[in-house]
Amino acid sequence: MHTEFHHVALDRIRYSLVWESAATLQAALPLGPTDEALIITSAGCNALNALLSEARHVTALDLNPVQNALLQFKTYLIGHFPHAVFRALLGLDGPAAVAAAWAEAAPQLSADLQAYWDRQLTEHPAGLLTAGKLESYLHGFLPTLPEATQQHLRQLIQFPTVAEQRVYFEQYLHNTAFRGQFETYFDEANLSKGRDPRLFRYAEESGGAAFYRRLRHQAATELLADNFFFRFFFFGPENLPEAILPPCYQARHFARLRARLPHLSIQTGEAVAYLLSPAGRTITRASLSNIFEYVSPTEFAQAMHALQARGNLRLVYWNLLQAQGDAGLDGLEPTPVAALPGTCFYLPDARLLNFPAPAVAASSPSTASSLVLL
């Protein structure tokens, strides 16, 4: 499948967090002991979340080898260090804890790996979760706001009820300069500082306006104090309650995650091509992030029909600014996945497709006999 990512320099960490929620992934793709799952690597979060399931095997795949290197580093940390070191290097305990954990971990790495990750953590002293190009841009937003507006945003995670939160958002944020500041900072022209502008080629609406509309909706419908993505988006990785972290980063899952590492493999390549290849034919479940955001509707339809012909596959994908599949696909109807609490406000729209295994033609008695004899 041809994607705009083929025209983007894949030489850095573009995403240091997976923005598709683990809850949506689990609801859309329940994984059993006979399943083999393909997960777009990105920052590795959902590949690790899938590993916590009963799946026979999880393959993490990405066009960008640097994203795969990030996941490989995380798996090394999980396999060789206690959870406290892993958590600290993610940035969940602040820059001082990052520095202390790195001083403990670095001597145990090869010289090449030590030099590479030392550069990354020197450039991003707040931890691995802040090292992406996108995340660096997102976290630059809060300091651009007046101190009073920053305090209003922080107040949003203090309310015990959604009703109080909604009223506060409308009074102190929606009906102020905040809306324009948000929409301007996150429109295509500016957000291209965090995402390559070629990745907006097929966008159907303005990012800033769409993201603000989704933010306002979430403020009116979900308790933001309990939303990991909202808190990380605005305030970074510190001061996050353990219970709202992605499952793969919670201490209670660490031992299982370590034990399950042999069931994970990491590949570099394009997802649809991999699923259609001999190596990918055993995959029964696929989480494809928002990779179809970067292809034309024609390319998307061709990919879906090729996967339909392949069969034996249940897949979920997310739409960001392009409604891929919503107009129908000549006999294929992607099913919207119900938005669950805890999703990211700007990436709530998941779609599900289920392709049954191709029917096997019945053999004639004579053919069956010859097969037995063979």
Side-chain angles (χ1 to χ4, degrees):
M1 182 180 73
H2 179 77
T3 166
E4 289 301 309
F5 257 105
H6 285 120
H7 305 298
V8 174
L10 302 177
D11 56 356
R12 62 170 298 169
I13 298 173
R14 292 192 165 271
Y15 308 105
S16 51
L17 182 73
V18 171
W19 293 90
E20 300 88 21
S21 79
T24 301
L25 173 64
Q26 185 176 18
L29 292 185
L31 298 174
T34 63
D35 286 315
E36 297 193 13
L38 177 73
I39 313 290
I40 297 297
T41 306
S42 186
C45 315
N46 273 345
L48 295 174
N49 287 328
L51 202 59
L52 290 171
S53 72
E54 297 295 327
R56 182 165 59 199
H57 193 79
V58 175
T59 299
L61 180 139
D62 208 290
L63 275 173
N64 186 351
V66 185
Q67 299 294 154
N68 284 338
L70 175 60
L71 176 55
Q72 288 167 339
F73 184 46
K74 288 180 179 180
T75 61
Y76 182 85
L77 295 173
I78 292 164
H80 293 84
F81 294 93
H83 179 259
V85 171
F86 180 51
R87 172 189 168 91
L89 283 172
L90 291 173
L92 295 170
D93 299 316
V98 173
W102 179 236
E104 179 179 344
Q108 300 189 43
L109 300 177
S110 68
D112 288 348
L113 284 177
Q114 185 177 145
Y116 179 80
W117 290 107
D118 188 69
R119 287 194 302 272
Q120 292 289 338
L121 291 170
T122 298
E123 185 176 348
H124 303 284
L128 295 174
L129 288 174
T130 70
K133 183 179 180 181
L134 175 64
E135 290 72 20
S136 295
Y137 186 73
L138 299 184
H139 292 154
F141 176 57
L142 190 69
T144 70
L145 300 174
E147 181 60 30
T149 306
Q150 294 185 37
Q151 291 306 314
H152 289 319
L153 279 169
R154 294 187 187 281
Q155 181 60 38
L156 288 175
I157 61 173
Q158 302 302 321
F159 291 107
T161 69
V162 174
E164 293 172 276
Q165 171 187 284
R166 179 185 60 79
V167 170
Y168 191 90
F169 183 93
E170 292 296 307
Q171 181 175 353
Y172 292 103
L173 290 166
H174 179 61
N175 292 315
T176 70
F178 171 73
R179 177 177 181 174
Q181 292 164 329
F182 183 97
E183 291 183 355
T184 298
Y185 192 88
F186 294 108
D187 69 13
E188 286 87 342
N190 289 317
L191 189 53
S192 292
K193 300 170 186 174
R195 301 175 82 239
D196 191 284
R198 280 167 288 202
L199 301 182
F200 292 103
R201 178 177 177 183
Y202 299 107
E204 297 171 348
E205 58 182 329
S206 167
F211 299 150
Y212 181 80
R213 185 172 64 252
R214 297 170 193 177
L215 171 63
R216 186 185 181 199
H217 174 75
Q218 189 169 72
T221 57
E222 180 179 334
L223 201 62
L224 299 177
D226 296 337
N227 189 293
F228 165 80
F229 294 103
F230 175 87
R231 295 177 66 145
F232 181 85
F233 184 101
F234 285 106
F235 312 124
E238 293 185 66
N239 304 312
L240 292 167
E242 173 82 4
I244 72 171
L245 297 178
C248 61
Y249 298 142
Q250 295 180 21
R252 65 194 179 105
H253 297 305
F254 190 72
R256 176 168 175 79
L257 197 58
R258 175 180 284 178
R260 291 275 293 164
L261 287 177
H263 297 270
L264 174 69
S265 59
I266 303 173
Q267 301 286 336
T268 299
E270 193 277 311
V272 174
Y274 184 82
L275 288 168
L276 296 175
S277 72
R281 289 283 173 171
T282 58
I283 300 294
T284 58
R285 301 284 188 269
S287 175
L288 300 183
S289 184
N290 66 323
I291 67 169
F292 302 120
E293 193 76 16
Y294 317 121
V295 305
S296 69
T298 299
E299 189 84 22
F300 173 70
Q302 291 172 347
M304 292 303 98
H305 286 296
L307 292 175
Q308 180 187 35
R310 170 202 187 271
N312 194 29
L313 181 67
R314 181 181 176 97
L315 70 85
V316 63
Y317 67 93
W318 279 257
N319 284 328
L320 181 64
L321 293 172
Q322 185 182 187
Q324 290 282 33
D326 286 4
L329 288 169
D330 188 23
L332 297 177
E333 296 292 338
T335 303
V337 179
L340 297 172
T343 59
C344 172
F345 71 86
Y346 79 80
L347 191 58
D349 295 327
R351 300 290 183 270
L352 181 67
L353 281 165
N354 194 30
F355 302 127
V360 178
S363 301
S364 67
S366 60
T367 303
S369 298
S370 65
L371 290 173
V372 171
L373 291 172
L374 289 173

